[in-house]
Every structure is written in C-alpha cells, then in structure tokens.
C-alpha cells in the first residue's frame, strides 16, 4: 500500500513541532557554542574578537584539560562497570519470585527517584568527617573522604552508583521479562545447571538490552556534573574535576566564554566519538552476515 502526498504532508506536519523544539534547544546552542569557541570573549574586560583556532590550540597544550579528561574517563569506566554488574544482579533478583517482591521493587527505585542534587547533598553530609554517618560508624577513622585526593573520586563514584544502579536494574529487568520462559523449562529438562542457563540463555538473549544500557549510561556518566559539583566542586586539587565542571568554571567563574565554549565543544566531540565507537563496534555485521 503506497502513501499519498497528502499523507506525507500530514506526517511532516506532526513531526514539525518536534523538529522546531530540537533546533531551538539543541542545534542552535551547539552552533552558537562552536562560534563563540572561535572568539576571545571575556565579559569582565569587554573583550570580544575573533581568534580562530587559538582556543583549540591552547586546549591541546592545557594540562588541566587532559587531567579533567582523565578524571572523566576514569569516573565513567569505573561507575558504568559497577552499575552494570550490580544492576544485573538486582534485575535477576527482581525476576525471581519471593515474599515481599513488590515491596522490594518499589524500594529499589527510591534512590533513582530522588533528585541528583538532593542525593549528592545527602551523601555530602554522610561523608562529613565531623558529624557524618561514616565517621560516627567508624569513630577511629580520620579520613576526609571528600577532602583527600584518591578518596574523593571514589566517594563520588559510589554516590553515582547508588543513584543510577536502580535505573540500570529496571531496564535489565524489562529485558529479562521478554525472554520466553519455555527456554528455561527446556534447559531444566535437559539438566542444565543455573550457571549454564545464565551464560547460554540469559546473557545472549539479554545482550541487546545490555548494549542499550551500556550506551545510555556511558554517555550520561561522561557528562557528569551535578553530583560531583555538589560533593566536591571539582576538588581537592582538581582531582575530581570533570570536563563539564572545568567548562562551567571557565564560563561562570572566570568569565572566559571563548575558552569555556571550547571546552563545551570538546566535551560534545568526546561524546560523539564515544557514540561513533559504540555504533562501529556494536553495529558492525559479523563475517557470516557479510558473506
């Protein structure tokens, strides 16, 4: 059945509002940021002139940028791996039948339902070395979790894991619900152990959902700002400063809108590169499909 031109025009009419919103809230700001990144814009000193690629040349030589990129990459890799493992475990638990299952399903979503800023502020009180729950529980511990290099980053990762694992578990649980139960019954009849059933039935069939979760969480974690900013503000000694926090400081504190926009564009390009890598790795056809 072929579509008529009137049906096509009607479809374009319904899509048009969404396209307009995307252009206003996404495309236009990206183009504007790219244009400002080619200029020297410092509001305080009333500077605004074209400098070309000078900001990008300085970016390549900026050690603080590379430190922030390393911090962001480390945060993303560690947080996403832990969230996938814990989320898969919780999803499997949600997929089984036990007393209090409904209550558990509701309780596990509480961290995800709490706003990120509220969660981060709550955890900053928990990590407080004077009156926090951690110091009260471990009275002999004099560690300032958010004020010591090496500890602060892992404390921020723990907060992100606590906040986001329920979201991962919910998506993986939805994927588990789509697996036909007849496969598990057939495996039980054949005498397959629980581990063999998990590795040869559950994981292969759950792979598409795992891929989606991996992509979503990687891109989201790489843009982390709010939780880390509330917890440490990028400190101590910039050991938890991510690309988003560095760009924010240059834009809002230093007032250097030109270089701040350059950092924002660099963050966007990193996210696009990660997306391209995922599409290349996960969307590449196998040899049997190509032959």
């Amino acid at each position: 059945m072929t579509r008529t031109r009137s049906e096509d025009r009607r479809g374009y009419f319904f899509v048009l509002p969404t396209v307009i919103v995307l252009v206003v809230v996404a495309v236009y700001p990206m183009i504007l940021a790219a244009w400002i990144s080619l200029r020297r814009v410092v509001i305080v000193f009333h500077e605004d002139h074209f400098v070309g690629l000078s900001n990008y040349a300085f970016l390549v030589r900026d050690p603080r940028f590379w430190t922030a990129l390393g911090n962001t990459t480390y945060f993303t890799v560690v947080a996403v791996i832990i969230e996938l493992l814990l989320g898969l475990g919780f999803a499997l638990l949600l997929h089984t039948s036990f007393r209090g299952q409904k209550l558990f399903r509701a309780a596990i979503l509480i961290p995800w339902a709490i706003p990120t800023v509220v969660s981060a502020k709550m955890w900053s009180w928990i990590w407080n070395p004077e009156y926090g729950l951690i110091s009260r529980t471990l009275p002999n511990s004099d560690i300032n979790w958010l004020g010591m290099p090496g500890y602060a980053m892992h404390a921020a990762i723990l907060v992100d894991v606590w906040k986001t694992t329920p979201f991962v578990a919910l998506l993986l649980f939805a994927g588990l619900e789509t697996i036909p139960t007849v496969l598990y019954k057939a495996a039980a009849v054949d005498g397959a152990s629980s581990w063999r059933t998990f590795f040869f039935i559950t994981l292969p069939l759950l792979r598409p959902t795992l891929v989606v979760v991996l992509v979503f969480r990687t891109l989201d974690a790489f843009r982390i700002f709010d939780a880390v900013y509330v917890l440490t503000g990028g400190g101590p000694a910039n050991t938890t400063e991510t690309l988003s926090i560095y760009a924010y400081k240059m834009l809002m504190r230093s007032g250097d809108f030109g270089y701040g926009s350059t950092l924002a564009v660099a963050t966007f390009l990193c996210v696009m590169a990660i997306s391209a890598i995922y599409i290349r790795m996960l969307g590449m056809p196998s040899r049997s499909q190509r032959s």
Side-chain angles (χ1 to χ4, degrees):
M1 182 177 180
T2 59
R3 295 181 302 178
T4 63
R5 291 185 178 180
S6 61
E7 291 176 337
D8 290 339
R9 286 195 297 268
R10 191 181 307 155
Y12 294 144
F13 175 78
F14 285 118
V15 172
L16 183 61
T18 303
V19 174
I20 294 175
V21 171
L22 288 176
V23 170
V24 172
V25 304
V27 178
Y28 174 73
M30 287 189 296
I31 295 175
L32 183 61
W35 169 246
I36 297 177
S37 68
L38 302 176
R39 307 181 66 83
R40 166 74 175 173
V41 182
V42 183
I43 303 299
V44 177
F45 300 111
H46 304 285
E47 289 188 58
D48 186 2
H49 56 273
F50 185 79
V51 295
L53 298 177
S54 297
N55 288 327
Y56 292 94
F58 179 77
L59 179 77
V60 176
R61 303 190 306 269
D62 185 8
R64 187 175 175 182
F65 164 75
W66 294 108
T67 300
L69 179 60
N71 293 338
T72 307
T73 303
Y74 181 80
F75 179 94
T76 302
V77 172
V78 176
V80 171
I81 290 176
I82 296 176
E83 287 163 7
L84 282 177
L85 293 177
L86 291 179
L88 181 58
F90 282 122
L92 292 172
L93 186 59
L94 290 171
H95 193 55
T96 58
S97 299
F98 58 92
R99 176 178 292 182
Q101 183 187 47
K102 294 182 179 179
L103 179 63
F104 179 74
R105 290 182 179 180
I108 198 175
L109 294 177
I110 292 177
W112 181 51
I114 299 175
T116 304
V117 175
V118 176
S119 300
K121 195 62 180 178
M122 178 183 66
W123 275 94
S124 67
W125 293 336
I126 295 176
W127 293 120
N128 190 281
E130 297 180 2
Y131 54 80
L133 180 62
I134 301 298
S135 61
R136 295 283 185 176
T137 306
L138 305 174
N140 295 327
S141 176
D142 56 352
I143 298 176
N144 184 359
W145 293 96
L146 299 179
M148 296 179 63
Y151 290 97
M153 175 60 77
H154 296 93
I157 291 174
L158 178 60
V159 174
D160 187 74
V161 169
W162 177 84
K163 165 70 178 175
T164 317
T165 297
F167 173 73
V168 175
L170 185 64
L171 293 181
L172 295 180
F173 171 68
L176 289 173
E177 289 290 303
T178 63
I179 300 177
T181 56
V182 65
L183 297 178
Y184 295 108
K185 294 179 180 179
V189 171
D190 292 338
S193 63
S194 299
W195 284 106
R196 292 182 64 87
T197 302
F198 175 74
F199 282 107
F200 291 99
I201 295 179
T202 304
L203 276 184
L205 296 179
L206 195 62
R207 182 178 178 273
T209 307
L210 283 170
V211 169
V212 172
V213 173
L214 178 63
V215 173
F216 280 1
R217 278 306 303 141
T218 301
L219 298 181
D220 190 46
F222 196 86
R223 299 180 295 105
I224 185 68
F225 172 81
D226 42 9
V228 178
Y229 186 79
V230 172
L231 287 169
T232 64
N238 296 332
T239 54
T240 61
E241 186 177 70
T242 61
L243 288 176
S244 299
I245 293 178
Y246 186 23
Y248 170 81
K249 289 180 179 179
M250 293 303 299
L251 286 165
M252 308 307 298
R253 293 186 180 180
S254 301
D256 191 344
F257 284 80
Y259 190 60
S261 298
T262 304
L263 290 168
V265 171
T267 304
F268 172 75
L269 292 177
C270 289
V271 172
M272 291 297 294
I274 294 173
S275 302
I277 292 173
Y278 274 133
I279 293 174
R280 179 70 175 174
M281 292 176 57
L282 304 175
M284 182 180 296
S286 61
R287 293 182 179 179
S288 59
Q289 292 174 327
R290 290 195 298 262
S291 59

